[in-house]
Each structure stands twice: as C-alpha cells, then as structure tokens.
Amino acid sequence: MTAAHADPQAEFLEMPEGLRIDRPEVADGAALWRIAKDSRTLDLNSSYSYLLWCRDFAGTSAVARDADGAPVGFVTGYVRPEHPGTLLVWQVAVDGAHRGRGLAGALLDGLTARVAKERRTTVVETTITPGNTASERLFTSYAARHGAGVEREVLFQAGQFPDGSHDPEVLYRIGPLSL
C-alpha cells in the first residue's frame, strides 16, 4: 500500500480499502490532535497548533481519510527556510484502527513525492527519540525504498529541553532522494 507510484498531478492519492491521501484542512485539526494524543508516543502539541498547522503548512503535510472523509492518519512537515531542498517531517501518526497496514509509509511517500515535485526537495529530515523502533523502521525503510542514505546525529540533547523530562532527539537526514 504505497503511494509512491501514484500520479503526482492528482489532488489526492487513492488508497486501497477506501482510504485516500490529500492535503489537510483547518477542519481536520481536532482529529489530528486526537490521533496524536492517542498515539501515546508523540509529543502532544496544543490543539491550537494542529489547527494552525492545517492552515499554514497544508502544502507540506498530508492526511489520510477514510471512505467518509474522516482523518485516520497524518504527516506534518515543513520546508526548512535556510535549506529549501529539505523537507522536515514533524509528526507521523495513524489511528489505532488503521495501524499495521503500511499507511504511515504511504503517507510519507505521497507527501514527499508531492513536495519534491512542487518545491524540488531532495532531502527528508526528521527527529526520533532513541527506542522509538516504529519510527526508526518507518524512516529507514523509506530511505531504502528511495535509494537514499541515512545520516544520524543527536540534534537536541536531553538537557536542552526546559521541562527536563525529554529524551534526546536524533536527527535522521535522508537523501539524496530519487523521487
């Protein structure tokens, strides 16, 4: 179930099982917040931030919808202002009822294909806390599918977080991509 080979000209990508991938809308913000909260692995941002994300970063984010149009997964990202060839993936989450079917990979493939076409990105970055094996697998398999290397380095040490209860964030830099 990958979206990597879908038509990049399409407004949204069709998925098996009645799922489709398209751009988020402000009305999706509450559902994205709930999916992130229910994931129990993501740093949960304020509900306000998910509304803003759906408004201001819809072009560099994607949402998976069920047959009724309800969000069941998402990936949020942005193009780094100082490095316009780099898409930073902020969060990826899939509703519990839809996990284990490759939807996170399809979301990532679909989003990066669209952003690469529109903005000529050739690198994907993300941060992963040590021990988050699901994210490690998602991004290393993404790199393998796209024939890209993976560089890792600690981006933020645990002591840099003001609340003192955060694990370090390891930067994964994936590229160059062959999309």
Side-chain angles (χ1 to χ4, degrees), residues 8 12 14 17 31 36 42 81-82 96-97 100 102 119 128 130 135 138 159 169:
F12 60 85
E14 289 296 332
E17 303 172 27
L42 293 177
E82 298 295 321
R119 300 176 186 237
I128 302 172
S135 288
L138 173 64
E169 289 283 347

Side-chain angles (χ1 to χ4, degrees), residues 36-48:
K37 180 181 176 209
D38 291 349
S39 77
R40 296 195 172 133
T41 58
L42 293 177
D43 286 338
L44 186 63
N45 299 297
S46 73
S47 56
Y48 175 68

Side-chain angles (χ1 to χ4, degrees), residues 115-166:
V115 173
K117 178 183 177 292
E118 294 173 358
R119 300 176 186 237
R120 298 179 181 248
T121 55
T122 59
V123 174
V124 169
E125 289 184 344
T126 195
T127 62
I128 302 172
T129 56
N132 184 341
T133 55
S135 288
E136 291 168 351
R137 285 185 196 137
L138 173 64
F139 283 95
T140 56
S141 66
Y142 170 83
R145 280 194 308 279
H146 295 284
V150 180
E151 297 174 8
R152 297 169 187 85
E153 66 179 274
V154 174
L155 181 63
F156 300 119
Q157 298 286 346
Q160 291 179 281
F161 292 91
D163 61 5
S165 63
H166 200 291

Side-chain angles (χ1 to χ4, degrees), residues 1-68:
M1 177 190 326
T2 68
H5 303 291
D7 179 4
Q9 299 287 350
E11 179 62 25
F12 60 85
L13 302 169
E14 289 296 332
M15 301 292 296
E17 303 172 27
L19 299 179
R20 64 183 168 96
I21 297 174
D22 66 9
R23 295 174 191 247
E25 300 171 355
V26 170
D28 298 324
L32 272 57
W33 179 84
R34 180 197 53 78
I35 293 167
K37 180 181 176 209
D38 291 349
S39 77
R40 296 195 172 133
T41 58
L42 293 177
D43 286 338
L44 186 63
N45 299 297
S46 73
S47 56
Y48 175 68
S49 68
Y50 290 92
L51 294 169
L52 280 176
W53 205 278
C54 289
R55 183 190 80 161
D56 293 342
F57 296 102
T60 53
S61 298
V63 64
R65 299 182 189 283
D66 66 14
D68 296 325

Side-chain angles (χ1 to χ4, degrees), residues 49-117:
S49 68
Y50 290 92
L51 294 169
L52 280 176
W53 205 278
C54 289
R55 183 190 80 161
D56 293 342
F57 296 102
T60 53
S61 298
V63 64
R65 299 182 189 283
D66 66 14
D68 296 325
V72 297
F74 71 89
V75 57
T76 55
Y78 63 88
V79 173
R80 290 190 55 204
E82 298 295 321
H83 300 277
T86 300
L87 173 68
L88 182 116
V89 173
W90 182 269
Q91 290 187 320
V92 179
V94 174
D95 182 84
H98 294 275
R99 289 187 192 135
R101 301 179 193 172
L103 186 53
L107 277 161
L108 192 56
D109 286 344
L111 174 65
T112 56
R114 176 170 40 90
V115 173
K117 178 183 177 292

